[in-house]
């Protein structure tokens, strides 16, 4: 029954990879990368924690890993998006309020 | 604000900064509580990372983390508000606020994964960058809010800017629904900002 978590994580990772291939520009690709990596990795780690044959303190280590992934992944995607914008990659958007305020 | 003369605007900014700084100083935690909270956090991290409960390891970890906590007490807990006794605060945080946040974020992460899958299949995107105002002032609170916004469905934080004591977030939205700032803020931030305002300054 718990294999649903593993399957869900793998499917989400697959859709994230597809999104990186199919979306048009940097920022929309970062959407796919950040969200799908976080969700898929956390779901796989949750499956491991629930089914692993190990003492509880080792499972707590896995939970620390999940916490670090959930903290660092959005930060890295934010840094990449801001760096790309500062470098001059133009987004394909309908409205760009960031360019209005930073001419 | 653009019609105000320059000297008045400078004065207004200085006054605003002073009021904010005084409110910030008044709502800080006392020193010993900051040291205690940092010490417990670091000790819990130490025990989990070494993954051994032997007395020698735990005692040496406690001594080292106490020394680190005495020096680094402002790094972790500077932005937490003060209200009530410390035991009450810790119980409230551990039993009510933290599970609330975890449940909200788990469902939002699930929803955002499904939404990215839907977008990949149908390619029905209409991206745009919108500007959103927040009521938070502290660095920790704004960081957690920006990270939560990145994990909520269809949004990604681009930049944070502080102006005249107010904080603005630039958010890349994969499907722009409204350009009104208040409505967009409600849609993007949701109830996470309300949650953060109870804990952080």
């Amino acid at each position: 029954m718990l294999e649903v978590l593993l399957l869900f994580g793998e499917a989400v990772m697959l859709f994230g990879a597809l999104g990186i291939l199919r979306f048009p520009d940097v920022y929309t690709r970062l959407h796919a990368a950040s969200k799908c990596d976080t969700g898929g990795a956390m779901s796989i780690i949750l499956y491991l924690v629930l089914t692993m044959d190990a003492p509880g303190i080792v499972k707590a280590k896995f939970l620390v890993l999940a916490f670090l992934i959930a903290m660092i992944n959005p930060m890295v995607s934010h840094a990449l998006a801001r760096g790309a914008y500062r470098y001059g990659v133009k987004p394909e958007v309908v409205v760009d309020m960031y360019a209005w305020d930073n001419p | 604000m653009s019609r105000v003369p320059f000297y008045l605007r400078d004065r207004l900014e200085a006054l605003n900064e002073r009021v904010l700084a005084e409110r910030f100083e008044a709502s800080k935690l006392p020193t010993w509580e900051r040291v205690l909270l940092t010490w417990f956090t670091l000790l819990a991290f130490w025990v989990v990372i070494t993954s051994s409960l032997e007395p020698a390891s735990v005692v040496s970890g406690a001594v080292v983390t106490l020394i680190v906590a005495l020096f680094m007490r402002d790094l972790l807990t500077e932005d937490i508000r003060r209200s009530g006794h410390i035991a009450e605060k810790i119980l409230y945080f551990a039993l009510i606020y933290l599970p609330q946040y975890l449940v909200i974020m788990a469902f939002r992460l699930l929803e955002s994964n499904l939404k990215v899958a839907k977008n990949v299949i149908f390619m029905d995107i209409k991206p745009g960058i919108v500007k959103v105002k927040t009521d938070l002032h502290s660095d920790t609170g704004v960081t957690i809010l920006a990270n939560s916004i990145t994990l909520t469905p269809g949004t990604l934080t681009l930049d944070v800017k502080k102006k005249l004591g107010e904080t603005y977030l630039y958010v890349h939205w994969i499907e722009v629904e409204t350009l009104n700032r208040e409505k967009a803020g409600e849609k993007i931030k949701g109830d996470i900002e309300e949650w953060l305002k109870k804990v952080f300054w």
Side-chain angles (χ1 to χ4, degrees):
Chain A
M1 191 56 217
L2 280 171
E3 281 81 9
V4 172
L5 277 174
L6 199 60
L7 279 179
F8 176 76
E10 286 173 359
V12 162
M13 289 287 222
L14 186 69
F15 276 117
L18 262 182
I20 290 177
L21 289 176
R22 279 192 60 161
F23 278 151
D25 65 340
V26 181
Y27 308 97
T28 41
R29 284 178 183 184
L30 274 175
H31 276 274
S34 65
K35 286 175 194 110
C36 288
D37 277 6
T38 315
M42 282 179 79
S43 146
I44 291 172
I45 284 176
L46 202 63
Y47 170 78
L48 287 179
V49 167
L50 287 177
T51 59
M52 199 169 44
D53 188 16
I57 205 153
V58 179
K59 294 182 178 179
K61 232 177 190 177
F62 268 72
L63 287 181
V64 168
L65 201 61
F67 171 73
L68 286 182
I69 286 175
M71 284 257 309
I72 291 169
N73 220 338
M75 243 184 274
V76 169
S77 73
H78 156 72
L80 277 175
R82 189 163 176 271
Y85 205 102
R86 287 290 165 94
Y87 184 68
V89 182
K90 287 293 167 205
E92 298 177 14
V93 287
V94 291
V95 54
D96 192 351
M97 293 194 190
Y98 194 52
W100 297 354
D101 292 349
N102 304 289
Chain B
M1 283 316 286
S2 58
R3 304 254 172 200
V4 183
F6 273 122
Y7 56 98
L8 266 182
R9 193 195 293 182
D10 281 353
R11 234 191 111 88
L12 205 59
E13 273 185 33
L15 204 67
N16 235 321
E17 267 179 24
R18 222 180 64 202
V19 169
L20 272 177
E22 278 177 9
R23 273 177 53 202
F24 178 63
E25 287 298 324
S27 66
K28 246 180 175 177
L29 293 177
T31 309
W32 67 273
E33 287 189 5
R34 274 183 280 159
V35 171
L36 207 66
L37 284 175
T38 315
W39 187 25
F40 279 145
T41 316
L42 290 178
L43 188 57
F45 195 70
W46 166 268
V47 167
V48 170
I49 283 301
T50 56
S51 70
S52 75
L53 285 174
E54 292 163 14
S57 155
V58 173
V59 166
S60 61
V63 171
V64 172
T65 48
L66 178 60
I67 295 170
V68 174
L70 281 175
F71 283 107
M72 295 287 160
R73 60 173 181 271
D74 292 340
L75 208 65
L76 196 63
T77 57
E78 201 187 7
D79 301 330
I80 298 179
R81 281 167 175 259
R82 166 160 63 187
S83 62
H85 195 254
I86 181 167
E88 182 189 0
K89 225 173 338 193
I90 290 176
L91 280 181
Y92 256 90
F93 186 74
L95 293 182
I96 299 178
Y97 292 150
L98 195 62
Q100 211 177 355
Y101 179 74
L102 287 182
V103 168
I104 293 174
M105 281 317 293
F107 278 101
R108 292 207 156 197
L109 195 54
L110 194 66
E111 189 189 342
S112 75
N113 286 338
L114 297 178
K115 196 170 179 188
V116 165
K118 193 200 85 181
N119 279 334
V120 166
I121 292 170
F122 297 114
M123 291 294 286
D124 52 347
I125 56 173
K126 194 178 84 174
I129 298 175
V130 294
K131 184 179 177 183
V132 167
K133 179 176 173 267
T134 76
D135 294 336
L136 295 163
H137 303 287
S138 63
D139 288 345
T140 317
V142 174
T143 308
I144 296 179
L145 180 69
N147 279 356
S148 309
I149 282 176
T150 300
L151 289 183
T152 52
T155 47
L156 183 118
T157 315
L158 252 183
D159 204 352
V160 179
K161 191 154 283 185
K162 282 188 182 173
K163 198 186 277 179
L164 270 178
E166 289 173 339
T167 317
Y168 294 99
L169 295 169
Y170 294 92
V171 176
H172 185 276
W173 204 356
I174 207 166
E175 197 174 352
V176 179
E177 293 166 25
T178 169
L179 289 183
N180 188 345
R181 189 175 290 165
E182 279 82 26
K183 280 184 193 167
E186 269 183 25
K187 282 215 175 249
I188 288 174
K189 288 179 297 189
D191 36 6
I192 288 177
E193 195 191 21
E194 293 299 315
W195 182 87
L196 280 171
K197 270 199 282 185
K198 289 182 210 157
V199 182
F200 293 106
W201 189 72

